[in-house]
Amino acid sequence: MSVVTRFAPSPTGYLHIGGARTALFNWLFAKKMGGTFLLRIEDTDRARSTPEAIDAILEGMEWLGLKHDGQTIYQFARAERHREAASAMIARGTAFRCYMTPQEQEAARSQAHAEGRAIRSPYRDGKAPPSAEAPFTVRLRAPDEGEVVNADLIQGDVQIKARDIDDLVMLRADGNPTYMLSVVVDDHDMAVTHVIRGDDHLTNAARQIVIYRAMDWTPPLFAHVPLIHGEDGKKLSKRHGAQAVHEWRDMGYLPEAMNAYLMRLGWSPGHDEILTKEDAIPQFEIGQIGKAPARLDFKKLDSVNAHFLSLADDARVTRLVEEHLKAADDAPLGGDSAAALTRAIPLLKKRAKTIPELAEQARFVLVKRPLTLDDTAKKLLNDDFKPRLSRLRDALEKEPSWNHVALGSTLKAFATSEGVGLGQIGPGLRAALTGGTPSPDLGQTLELLGREEALARITDQV
């Protein structure tokens, strides 16, 4: 059997991180089995589906590197095929035309709820329509007895009694197909073998299995993944912060880090190694996905992102930092600033967890003279310290090798000559060099600024 998986989001909003993880699991399983990964946009809710939401989904998938096979399939465009399937079910006797009015449907629903059973239409056994022109829906003729068993690859066997399955509406009165019918027809026509999705669809599986049987089709295998919860153990909501993939991107997380983190929310290969999605392919097993909801852990995500940030290509990281700085300051980088940033990134990227944090750490090489000092820097650069800073400038000016090792030795020798520890020199020097913004080790700070710029900043304060 050739494995075919699919990701089928509804374009009624952004690409949620739960949806991104579902797409990732489908991608991983298809790659592991040498199969096919398809994308279907379930845009039948015309009132809520928007081109902007579709674009957000496609952009999110592209950012994560989850490339699907073949063309993107749009469900609404297949509505005629769905109507054909409904007609075929009527011909087979597994669906029927229902002439209940909205009022009658509500009464039937209330009675069924009161009796603790599924909705049954009085037209399921051939009752005559009230008139030749009466509007109708098309309903599934649900089974009367027995059980429907979904041998779920994650949840195990899930059994639902046939009497608990409604005579589901397949076509509305306006002739438009419902989600339940469209999903089954599309998955069958796309030859989907494994449906991997969130466990909020678990109860839908039994109903969809009945529709498969009504068409004499073989159902796919189902795997329902527990949802992602916030750190407090509750279902994700706005109070937990970012939920959309593009929000995490804008917060400075790398796509490889998001993939590495999301795949481990619920899936465990039995070790703690940080994996790229490509490295995870041969290790991925659906049966290793747990049944309990996964919890977001922002500290863990930061740690994973820091790992990939330190490994990322310098030019790529520099570009990301530049984009962040331009968005924040609305000012382009050029000339000496761009060169200074390029020099700083290889060192600073190993000290940051996110792109914004890295950008903040790099600001000290970008600020223009004369520096604006924060309050702490002003206190450090007082009149008592300035004579010592002047002597330090002279010592640094004589250093022939402008690299962090030699400069670190120069600072230690100067402290010794002054009869003080580095702790009485370092804070004031850092204030002069950065104005109070974060920076690395002083030797590295001096090296990254360059001889001319570093000495000029010290001179400004003396």
Side-chain angles (χ1 to χ4, degrees), residues 187-400:
D187 281 345
H188 171 77
D189 289 358
M190 293 164 64
V192 171
T193 60
H194 293 73
V195 173
I196 306 171
R197 60 189 180 186
D199 66 2
D200 50 335
H201 286 282
L202 184 59
T203 56
N204 286 339
R207 296 169 172 83
Q208 290 165 3
I209 288 172
V210 172
I211 298 173
Y212 275 99
R213 291 176 180 171
M215 287 296 292
D216 198 23
W217 293 338
T218 301
L221 297 175
F222 291 94
H224 287 90
V225 182
L227 302 182
I228 299 174
H229 287 183
E231 289 183 300
D232 58 2
K234 297 180 180 179
K235 188 176 179 180
L236 276 183
S237 65
K238 291 182 180 180
R239 70 176 180 275
H240 293 107
Q243 300 177 75
V245 167
H246 72 270
E247 292 179 299
W248 296 93
R249 178 197 64 199
D250 295 344
M251 288 164 60
Y253 294 98
L254 302 179
E256 58 267 42
M258 288 303 301
N259 281 319
Y261 179 70
L262 287 176
M263 75 173 73
R264 298 301 288 268
L265 283 179
W267 172 63
S268 174
H271 58 75
D272 294 328
E273 183 182 354
I274 298 176
L275 301 172
T276 64
K277 67 182 193 301
E278 291 77 15
D279 290 337
I281 290 172
Q283 303 182 44
F284 186 73
E285 299 287 346
I286 289 180
Q288 293 173 338
I289 297 175
K291 295 182 180 181
R295 290 194 185 192
L296 280 177
D297 183 336
F298 293 99
K299 289 183 179 179
K300 179 63 176 177
L301 174 57
D302 283 346
S303 174
V304 172
N305 200 65
H307 169 80
F308 283 104
L309 193 57
S310 69
L311 299 176
D313 177 72
D314 292 340
R316 175 193 172 202
V317 176
T318 301
R319 175 177 54 79
L320 292 173
V321 170
E322 287 178 342
E323 290 174 356
H324 174 80
L325 290 170
K326 288 175 184 177
D329 297 340
D330 195 29
L333 295 174
D336 294 342
S337 293
L341 184 62
T342 299
R343 290 196 308 269
I345 289 301
L347 170 67
L348 298 181
K349 72 177 187 178
K350 299 175 183 179
R351 299 162 43 89
K353 297 187 288 291
T354 65
I355 292 297
E357 183 178 306
L358 176 54
E360 186 61 27
Q361 291 183 12
R363 281 189 182 276
F364 79 94
V365 301
L366 304 175
V367 292
K368 303 298 183 183
R369 297 176 43 232
L371 274 58
T372 301
L373 307 181
D374 65 18
D375 291 340
T376 300
K378 289 177 181 177
K379 291 178 181 178
L380 290 168
L381 292 169
N382 54 44
D383 291 340
D384 291 337
F385 182 73
K386 285 185 177 181
R388 177 171 287 165
L389 182 61
S390 179
R391 294 191 294 274
L392 176 56
R393 178 197 57 192
D394 294 340
L396 290 170
E397 199 168 18
K398 296 174 183 176
E399 173 54 56

Side-chain angles (χ1 to χ4, degrees), residues 24-32 263 277 280-281 284:
L24 176 59
F25 284 165
N26 277 279
W27 184 90
L28 284 169
F29 185 67
K31 296 298 181 184
K32 166 70 180 291
M263 75 173 73
K277 67 182 193 301
I281 290 172
F284 186 73

Side-chain angles (χ1 to χ4, degrees), residues 147-189:
E147 292 184 331
V148 180
V149 179
N150 166 28
D152 198 272
L153 298 176
I154 296 174
Q155 305 295 334
D157 286 354
V158 181
Q159 299 179 352
I160 294 182
K161 296 184 184 303
R163 67 171 181 265
D164 293 331
I165 297 177
D166 294 333
D167 285 346
L168 301 168
V169 175
M170 301 284 97
L171 291 183
R172 300 182 181 90
D174 61 4
N176 284 323
T178 62
Y179 162 83
M180 207 67 75
L181 172 66
S182 298
V183 167
V184 170
V185 175
D186 287 348
D187 281 345
H188 171 77
D189 289 358

